[in-house]
Amino acid sequence: GGWEGDVDYADVMDRHLAGEDAPDGSELEDVDFDEECARESAAVCERMMRVNYYPVVAGSQVGRRFIRRGGLFCIIGASAALSPTPGMLGYGSAKSAAHHYLQSWGKSSLEEDDTTAVGILPLMIDTPANRAMLGGDDDDDDGGGGGDERYSKMVKPIHIAKEIGEWLKQPHLRPHTGSLVKVIAKNRRDGSGGAAFHLVR
C-alpha cells in the first residue's frame, strides 16, 4: 500500500508562479487553477487506487485459482478508513473500496471453495518509511522507538504475521469471512508489547 495526502490549492498556485508546472508556451494567466487542482486531485486518487485497491482485486482473483479449499485470504486495510479521512481523501477512498471489495468477495469465496477472507486494519504499521514520515530513526532494532511516544500506536509487522499464522494453524480461530479486524498496538516503553485484534465488521 501507500499513502498520499490531498492536493493543496495554494501549492498548485505556488508551483505555477514559480514556473515549475506551466505548460510550454503558456502564460500564467491562461492557467485555470481550479481545473489544475481538480486534475491533480484526480491523479492522487488514481495513484491511491493503484497501490491500495487494484492489488486487492488482483490478489483475490489469483487466490481464486491457487488457494486450496478452506484456505485464508488476508488484505491490509486501514482503521483510519472506517471513518471520514479529511486531508487524505484519495487514500481513504481507496482503502474503503478495498474493505468493501473484501467483504463482498469474502461471501462468494466462502460459497465457492470455503475460503475465508479477512481484512486486517492497523492504524499504522511500524516500517522504516512510516518512521521517516514521523521524523524517527529507522534503525532502532528493538522496534520500541526508544520510548518515543510517536511510535506507541504503530503495529509491528511480526504481530500481524503471528496472528495470521495462528489462523492458518487453527482455522476455528479465524474471524468469519468478510470480516474487518482492527489492530491496536500494545507497545511498552521498553520496546516490548504486542497487538490486540478486534472485530469491527
Side-chain angles (χ1 to χ4, degrees):
W3 180 90
E4 187 173 348
D6 293 342
V7 172
D8 185 275
Y9 189 92
D11 288 343
V12 174
M13 184 174 291
D14 288 345
R15 287 200 304 273
H16 279 290
L17 289 172
E20 297 177 13
D21 296 339
D24 294 339
S26 69
E27 298 295 333
L28 184 62
E29 56 267 23
D30 295 332
V31 177
D32 186 324
F33 290 110
D34 289 326
E35 180 180 336
E36 185 63 23
C37 193
R39 183 181 298 111
E40 291 192 21
S41 294
V44 169
C45 288
E46 174 59 26
R47 285 195 293 273
M48 292 297 93
M49 293 293 281
R50 195 160 58 238
V51 298
N52 292 301
Y53 176 68
Y54 298 154
V56 172
V57 177
S60 70
Q61 297 308 312
V62 172
R64 190 185 298 273
R65 178 175 179 182
F66 293 105
I67 294 177
R68 294 180 180 179
R69 184 171 185 81
L72 176 65
F73 177 77
C74 293
I75 71 165
I76 299 297
S79 62
L82 293 171
S83 304
T85 55
M88 48 182 187
L89 299 178
Y91 175 80
S93 298
K95 285 295 190 180
S96 292
H99 297 171
H100 180 83
Y101 184 90
L102 183 281
Q103 290 178 298
S104 301
W105 186 81
K107 302 297 183 182
S108 61
S109 66
L110 182 67
E111 294 172 358
E112 290 177 9
D113 53 20
D114 200 31
T115 295
T116 302
V118 179
I120 298 174
L121 282 53
L123 179 63
M124 183 179 286
I125 298 178
D126 192 345
T127 65
N130 284 337
R131 284 185 172 237
M133 184 178 68
L134 293 180
D137 186 356
D138 63 4
D139 60 3
D140 183 4
D141 290 335
D142 68 6
D148 195 323
E149 290 299 325
R150 288 174 297 178
Y151 310 122
S152 64
K153 295 183 179 179
M154 285 181 146
V155 178
K156 296 175 178 57
I158 188 63
H159 297 145
I160 295 175
K162 285 181 177 179
E163 188 72 10
I164 293 174
E166 287 301 313
W167 294 344
L168 288 170
K169 290 187 293 184
Q170 304 184 70
H172 67 278
L173 295 179
R174 298 176 187 174
H176 61 272
T177 192
S179 293
L180 300 180
V181 180
K182 191 173 184 178
V183 188
I184 301 173
K186 299 291 185 181
N187 298 322
R188 303 186 184 93
R189 294 183 67 85
D190 63 0
S192 64
F197 291 74
H198 300 284
L199 183 67
V200 292
R201 291 181 190 169

